[in-house]
Structure formats: C-alpha cells, structure tokens
Amino acid sequence: MADIIQLLPDHVANQIAAGEVVQRPASVVKELLENAIDAESTEIKLIIKDSGKTLIQVIDNGKGMSVTDARLSFERHATSKIRAAEDLFNLHTKGFRGEALASIAAIAHVELKTKQEQDELGTQIEIEGSDLKAQNVVVTPKGTSLAVKHLFFNIPARRNFLKSNAVELRHIIDEFHRVALAHPSIVFAMYHNGSEIFNLPSSNYRQRVVNIFGGKTNEKLVPVEETTEVLKISGFVGKPEFAKKTKNEQFFFVNNRFIKSPYLNHAINSAFEGLVKDGAHPSYFLNLTVDPKTIDINIHPTKTEIKFDDEHTLYAILRSAVKHSLGQFNIAPVLDFDSDPNLNTPYDYKDKSVATPPTIEVDRDFNPFKEKVSHGVGSSKPAVTFKKQNTSSWDSLYVGLESKSTQQDHNFSEVEFESDSKNETLFDDSQTETTQATYQLHNKYIVSTIKSGMLMIDQHRAHQRVLYENLLKNMTVKEAVSQQLLFPLQLHFSSTELPILIQLKEDLESTGFAFSSVKDHTIEITGVPLGVPESEVSIILEQLISDVEQEVPDSNFSATDLLAKSMAKSLAIKTGQSLNKQEQEHLVNSLFACKEPTVSPTNKTTFITMSVDDIDKKFM
Ligand code: ADP
Ligand code: MG
C-alpha cells in the first residue's frame, strides 16, 4: 500500500494553530498589545474599527525590528524571547511561543511597519493569508505599527461565528483593561470607530484603576499590601458595599500577567464572607509577585491560566491579607489619592437613590408605552404565538374581567397585539356583568377568582412582561413617543460604560430616549420615553449597562431584546408597592393581553392558579 502520511503545508499548519491563538478580535488585541509591551514601549495606541471585525491596529514606540526580524516575525516558532526550553522557567516577557504573528497573518490581511531607533528607514511588510504581498523600505517613526484587517477573511465559518459588535467590543475592552492595568506606567490610548474611548496617562496603580473605571472608583478602593517570602501582594479590593453584580472588576495579575484563577478568587470571596450580599461580587485589582520559577504559564494556549507550585499557601496568604485590609478599613477609611476633579461624576447615582428611592407611579389612564389592553375586541387575525396547551387551559381561566377592560379601550391607541383576538376565548362571556374582585396580598401578589378556582399574579413579574412586550413592539416599529426634557440631563459614565451606551444608542432612541451630546464621558439626555420619570433615567441606564455587562458573552445577544428586558425590569411596579383596585385590574388585564403571559421576560412564572379541587384537598 502506498504511503499516506503527509506533512501539512505551513500555511495550513498556521491556520490550524490560529484556531488556538485567535478565537476572536480580542485575542488579536491581546497578542499585539503584549508584543508592544515586550518591545519596551512607553506609549501604545490601539485603534479598532467595527469591534475589530474590520481593523485592529496597535502602534507602539518600542524597539522595533530589523528588516530580517520583521520578515522572520511571521514565521511559526519565531521568537526573540526564549532560546531554550529552560528559559520557559524564567520568563519576564509576555510572549514566548512565537506563534501569534504567524497565526494572525494566516487568517487576516496584515500590514507591519517597523523601525529601530538607530535606523534611518523602516520596513513595511504586507501579508494576506500567510502570503507575502509586499515588502518595502518606508519612512516610519521608531517603533512598530501592526494593522490587522479583515480578520477570518479566509475562514467564513469563524467570521460568522463572531458575536454582535457590542459583545466583541466588550471582549476587546476587557483585554485592553487587563493589559493597561498591568502596566500603569505605560501611556495607553484606545479608539473605536474614530472616537477615543480611553486615554490613560502614565500614572501609579491607583490612578490607573480610577482612570479606567471612573472617578467614582477612587472612594471604593481599599489598599492591600503584603510581603512574605513566597509572595508579594499589592493592589486594591473594593469596599464591600460597592460589590457589583458583574465580575468584570476582578483582576489578578501574576508577575504583571493577567490570570484567571477560580481558586484564588475563592480566597477573596472567603475574605469577604458575610460582608457582601449573595450574588454580589467584590471588586479586586491585585498584583501578585512570585518567583517565576514557581509558576508554569505554559499550560494554556492563551496563557490566562497558570500553575502555581504551592497554591494552598498562596490561598491562605491572600485570604488573610484581604481580611486584614478590610478590618483596618473598618476602623479608619483610607483615602490616599488626591482625586482629579475632572474624574468625579457630576451626578452621583448612589446618593441619589438613597435620597429618593425609586418609585413608579401606575396611572391607569396614563399610557407610557401606548399599550392597548383590549380584551374582548376580536380581530380577525389568528393568534399564532399561543401555545396549544395553554390556550385550552386559559379557556376556562377567567370570569368577569371582560366588561371592565372593554371600558378602558378608549384610553389606548390603535396598536393591536397579535394575541388580541385570542382573548375573547380567555374570558367567560356569560359572566361579563359581574365586577371581578381582585385583592392584593402583601403588596406583592394580586389574587383573583377564576372559573376553576383561584389565580395569583406576581405583580412585579407580570408588569415586567407587559412593559417588555410593549417596549419591544415600540422598538421594532420605531414609534415610541419621546418626552422633551426642559433641562437636559447630564449623566457621567466611565470609559467602560460609555461604549455600551453608544452601541445601544439607536435602540435607546427607538424607545424614546434622545441624546444630544457625548463628550468627556458625559451624555446629555434631552428626551426620555413618555412616562419615564426623570429621576429614573440614570437608574435605568446603569441597570442597562450592568445587564449588558452581565450578558453571558456566548449566549445569543440581541441588543433590542436586552434593552427591552432591562427597561422593563427598571420600570415595572416593584414588590412592596400597594396598588388600588383599578391598578390591580389593569395589570391583570394587560398581562393576559400579552403574547406570553405565563412568564416574565426572564422566564420566571408570572402567575399560578389553584383549582377548587386543589383547595378542597388542603381541607381534607
Ligand atoms: P512571541 O511574542 O511569542 O515571541 P510573536 O509571534 O507574538 O511571538 O512575535 C514574534 C516576534 O516578533 C517577537 O518575539 C518579537 O521579536 C517580534 N515582535 C513582534 N511584535 C513586535 C513589536 N511590536 N515590536 C518589536 N518586536 C516585535
Ligand atoms: Mg507575542
């Protein structure tokens, strides 16, 4: 039989390797930023277009490359950072595998410009899918510029696999944060689609944290310092009361390299035990310095996981150091950094929410989102979204609400739900004359009688469902009514928060928000959706940002849906709010006019029913 084994051609091998190194635009960002740092740059600029799908460019002022090195840098296993396997155990650089550039060049259009200090002229190289397209002598400043265009141009499957721009940008910003935090003395700037997102001057660590996460952060930070024989810890943890719903203010750096370590994270959580609420995550920005010989960073292709020789000791030291700092802080708050007045937010949402706890007025005659609760007004359109089994049980669900709701029709616009027609069968026509009694239980549930027994609705979830469907509809047909603000509202956002809002601008506008200007981390809001109180705006937007941040990156992300969910959550009647009879009925009616009344937008049960039989059983 003939021999069948072949050596893969280099460009194929590179494409395969690229799969490991480059999962998404953010992976390229990480590799290029790390190379710039390894080149001893003091200023690094990151330029992104379309969340990295069109362009990722890193410009540094580092040591540059000679003509030969420039060519060699794109070869696989070409590295200036290690010479022998032993060097792996004494690494002081980020890179060492010599894989990144070869991999990136295999799956994108790459343009390199580089010049060393002593050289008069630099080198320009263009590579497309591992093919050298051009090599020229150019005039270029000292340092290196590497532009990566059309990532995955030759692997359409990968390209299609990329998430929405908002999600990919989020990943890029995460990588940028990690690198920028690990190197506070390096000047970093980041631009997305032509606008500056970050401009970080050379500073100390505390200032770097504040410059990235916003002026509000300064007061949150508690210093942690500890030096032992095996480990040096320095950095900050966030005060417990500022613990976040998201984990994106959690950073461990080991020898200036960002790492993920569930085990060490656990050490921090245990130090915070009893101090933060369930589901809240303390912020931390911690640098651990250990002897490079005691760690192995080679176990993961993207190098965010490392192996420590003695994890248990590190765990114990870390936990006690954090506990100690928190304890000290309880006695005397620590503020050791003169805050730059420009960093402080002009609008402090924390204080605000304490002074005026959020309340939503439910005015039955007032219609924030042009909803229509027209039960019993049949349209000829069949409702396609109803599930069979539900329909049949709803047939017998209701008694007596129909007459009430029909009276309300004149209050509402002409927008119709697909499900309107279905409601006819939801209600028992024979009893339309009776006024249906509803009762509010513990300002949380609305109880009502139905043909078969009893119905109990969770008011907060039910209202979320109602608002969600209305918001979604408004966003798709773009007909929301905006309410002009007499005095525009200025809201301050951190450099992380701002891009999220900008991404969502169009969707926000379709709900009725109007933004007039975006500069210096400040958004000027000139219009809000009709019915949204001004005092709620910052809370809604903060909630929205936190929801976007929390969105699992790999789940299906739809900005419109998320915005509708988030706003519905913020605006819905809260548990604890007392509702009068009319409000109760209105809510019940609106819920059953929804396409999917059974669950809240986050898939939680909105109501339960109990048949007389069930109740009878309880009395047996
Ligand atoms: P590694 O970083 O693992 O060595 P890379 O593929 O990322 O591998 O880079 C290959 C080599 O190219 C590096 O070892 C370095 O010598 C050179 N290089 C890459 N980027 C830069 C840069 N921005 N400035 C100077 N040299 C660079
Ligand atoms: Mg590298």
Side-chain angles (χ1 to χ4, degrees):
M1 202 174 143
D3 299 334
I4 50 172
I5 296 178
Q6 293 185 356
L7 275 177
L8 288 176
D10 261 2
H11 71 275
V12 178
N14 284 337
Q15 269 198 22
I16 294 170
E20 271 212 328
V21 181
V22 186
Q23 280 109 28
R24 52 175 13 125
S27 332
V28 175
V29 168
K30 172 181 152 71
E31 295 297 339
L32 299 190
L33 289 177
E34 290 189 346
N35 280 347
I37 287 166
D38 285 344
E40 293 160 20
S41 311
T42 57
E43 283 189 39
I44 300 175
K45 223 184 264 178
L46 170 64
I47 299 164
I48 301 291
K49 290 218 174 98
D50 301 323
S51 301
K53 292 171 184 173
T54 314
L55 173 75
I56 301 161
Q57 183 174 18
V58 170
I59 303 171
D60 68 47
N61 65 349
K63 58 187 178 197
M65 286 178 262
S66 68
V67 190
T68 324
D69 282 355
R71 267 300 277 121
L72 264 180
S73 67
F74 292 101
E75 294 299 320
R76 217 139 78 87
H77 305 307
T79 178
S80 53
K81 299 167 194 174
I82 59 170
R83 304 213 170 260
E86 298 87 74
D87 295 346
L88 271 180
F89 299 98
N90 195 17
L91 269 178
H92 294 279
T93 55
K94 310 261 171 203
F96 55 84
R97 297 166 156 258
E99 271 182 334
L101 291 189
S103 299
I104 294 166
I107 50 167
H109 294 189
V110 173
E111 190 199 4
L112 167 77
K113 280 189 206 164
T114 188
K115 185 182 92 75
Q116 293 179 302
E117 175 110 72
Q118 68 276 13
D119 294 341
E120 194 72 8
L121 290 167
T123 310
Q124 186 237 21
I125 287 178
E126 284 172 41
I127 296 182
E128 292 177 8
S130 299
D131 288 338
L132 181 71
K133 296 286 178 193
Q135 174 161 356
N136 301 302
V137 175
V138 287
V139 178
T140 183
K142 175 208 169 202
T144 303
S145 154
L146 211 118
V148 177
K149 295 176 196 160
H150 312 302
L151 187 64
F152 300 130
F153 78 101
N154 50 359
I155 318 181
R158 281 245 164 199
R159 212 176 154 83
N160 295 336
F161 199 65
L162 292 176
K163 304 290 179 201
S164 70
N165 281 351
V167 170
E168 294 302 342
L169 183 63
R170 178 72 245 167
H171 283 287
I172 290 173
I173 290 176
D174 283 347
E175 289 299 348
F176 180 83
H177 282 169
R178 292 166 184 176
V179 175
L181 278 173
H183 301 275
S185 62
I186 298 179
V187 178
F188 283 96
M190 173 173 170
Y191 303 82
H192 184 237
N193 291 340
S195 46
E196 183 182 274
I197 309 189
F198 291 98
N199 191 340
L200 309 173
S202 174
S203 63
N204 66 24
Y205 190 51
R206 184 172 195 129
Q207 284 166 321
R208 177 56 52 99
V209 172
V210 171
N211 284 330
I212 291 178
F213 295 101
K216 298 179 270 186
T217 316
N218 191 31
E219 62 188 282
K220 299 187 204 173
L221 302 178
V222 183
V224 181
E225 300 288 339
E226 183 70 81
T227 307
T228 69
E229 245 171 58
V230 286
L231 168 70
K232 183 173 172 293
I233 304 172
S234 78
F236 304 94
V237 292
K239 291 179 189 170
E241 66 265 35
F242 293 104
K244 308 232 319 175
K245 278 192 273 174
T246 60
K247 293 185 180 176
N248 51 21
E249 286 189 8
Q250 300 192 325
F251 297 89
F252 277 124
F253 299 92
V254 173
N255 298 352
N256 287 334
R257 184 190 294 277
F258 172 82
I259 60 136
K260 288 185 187 147
S261 167
Y263 184 69
L264 294 184
N265 178 61
H266 191 274
I268 307 268
N269 283 340
S270 90
F272 271 88
E273 208 173 286
L275 297 173
V276 296
K277 279 184 278 176
D278 272 359
H281 306 284
S283 306
Y284 55 83
F285 312 89
L286 293 171
N287 301 300
L288 316 183
T289 313
V290 297
D291 182 343
K293 291 191 185 69
T294 66
I295 53 172
D296 183 358
I297 49 179
N298 206 10
I299 60 171
H300 196 274
T302 51
K303 299 165 282 177
T304 55
E305 280 161 33
I306 62 175
K307 226 171 100 218
F308 297 97
D309 280 355
D310 188 2
E311 266 194 339
H312 296 302
T313 312
L314 299 194
Y315 182 101
I317 298 172
L318 188 60
R319 180 167 176 270
S320 86
V322 171
K323 270 196 135 162
H324 180 73
S325 293
L326 288 173
Q328 270 195 330
F329 143 76
N330 278 340
I331 305 158
V334 195
L335 273 178
D336 63 16
F337 166 58
D338 288 341
S339 68
D340 174 349
N342 296 325
L343 292 173
N344 289 330
T345 74
Y347 184 91
D348 193 342
Y349 141 62
K350 268 227 89 72
D351 292 344
K352 196 106 182 167
S353 68
V354 171
T356 50
T359 53
I360 305 286
E361 280 191 19
V362 178
D363 179 350
R364 157 184 107 77
D365 295 325
F366 183 58
N367 169 21
F369 300 109
K370 290 175 109 191
E371 61 189 346
K372 171 164 177 160
V373 281
S374 62
H375 311 289
V377 182
S379 96
S380 54
K381 237 188 320 162
V384 285
T385 47
F386 268 48
K387 287 187 196 115
K388 259 257 152 58
Q389 69 271 31
N390 288 345
T391 319
S392 60
S393 62
W394 290 349
D395 279 345
S396 56
L397 193 62
Y398 255 91
V399 279
L401 281 167
E402 186 182 329
S403 59
K404 197 72 199 163
S405 56
T406 315
Q407 284 164 20
Q408 293 174 351
D409 279 350
H410 64 275
N411 289 331
F412 298 97
S413 76
E414 294 313 303
V415 182
E416 286 200 356
F417 278 109
E418 270 187 304
S419 55
D420 284 351
S421 62
K422 212 60 185 180
N423 295 304
E424 238 174 350
T425 54
L426 279 179
F427 299 90
D428 183 342
D429 284 336
S430 64
Q431 303 207 27
T432 47
E433 293 315 310
T434 356
T435 307
Q436 185 54 45
T438 56
Y439 174 79
Q440 198 184 16
L441 189 68
H442 284 263
N443 290 340
K444 184 170 186 196
Y445 299 108
I446 298 167
V447 186
S448 175
T449 323
I450 50 170
K451 243 194 325 197
S452 65
M454 189 185 82
L455 166 82
M456 205 187 262
I457 291 180
D458 181 311
Q459 64 186 42
H460 177 58
R461 292 180 187 176
H463 199 210
Q464 276 192 50
R465 164 55 61 184
V466 173
L467 292 174
Y468 169 71
E469 292 199 0
N470 280 307
L471 282 162
L472 260 194
K473 186 151 53 66
N474 280 345
M475 286 162 154
T476 14
V477 297
K478 302 206 189 296
E479 60 164 23
V481 179
S482 182
Q483 171 191 333
Q484 200 75 14
L485 294 180
L486 201 52
F487 302 103
L489 206 56
Q490 299 229 327
L491 296 183
H492 185 275
F493 293 96
S494 75
S495 320
T496 347
E497 296 166 336
L498 207 57
I500 296 176
L501 284 182
I502 293 168
Q503 287 281 331
L504 293 172
K505 190 163 190 271
E506 207 180 302
D507 283 322
L508 280 165
E509 281 167 353
S510 65
T511 69
F513 278 104
F515 300 4
S516 85
S517 72
V518 178
K519 61 170 190 293
D520 291 343
H521 295 192
T522 302
I523 283 188
E524 192 169 72
I525 296 182
T526 53
V528 297
L530 191 60
V532 170
E534 214 178 303
S535 57
E536 295 289 307
V537 172
S538 85
I539 296 167
I540 292 171
L541 295 180
E542 293 240 359
Q543 180 68 52
L544 174 68
I545 290 165
S546 142
D547 286 344
V548 173
E549 287 177 336
Q550 251 178 312
E551 180 76 1
V552 191
D554 289 329
S555 70
N556 281 333
F557 181 92
S558 149
T560 330
D561 189 64
L562 197 107
L563 176 60
K565 273 188 192 146
S566 177
M567 279 183 64
K569 188 162 67 187
S570 303
L571 290 171
I573 302 163
K574 305 287 184 292
T575 297
Q577 185 168 339
S578 131
L579 303 176
N580 67 31
K581 282 276 177 283
Q582 287 175 324
E583 290 164 348
Q584 295 172 23
E585 279 169 27
H586 179 102
L587 181 58
V588 175
N589 291 334
S590 311
L591 176 66
F592 288 100
C594 286
K595 288 184 189 171
E596 282 190 58
T598 50
V599 286
S600 75
T602 47
N603 247 334
K604 300 218 175 90
T605 307
T606 50
F607 68 87
I608 54 161
T609 59
M610 210 186 254
S611 69
V612 178
D613 278 356
D614 293 338
I615 299 170
D616 284 346
K617 277 189 200 126
K618 304 240 177 229
F619 286 98
M620 293 225 281

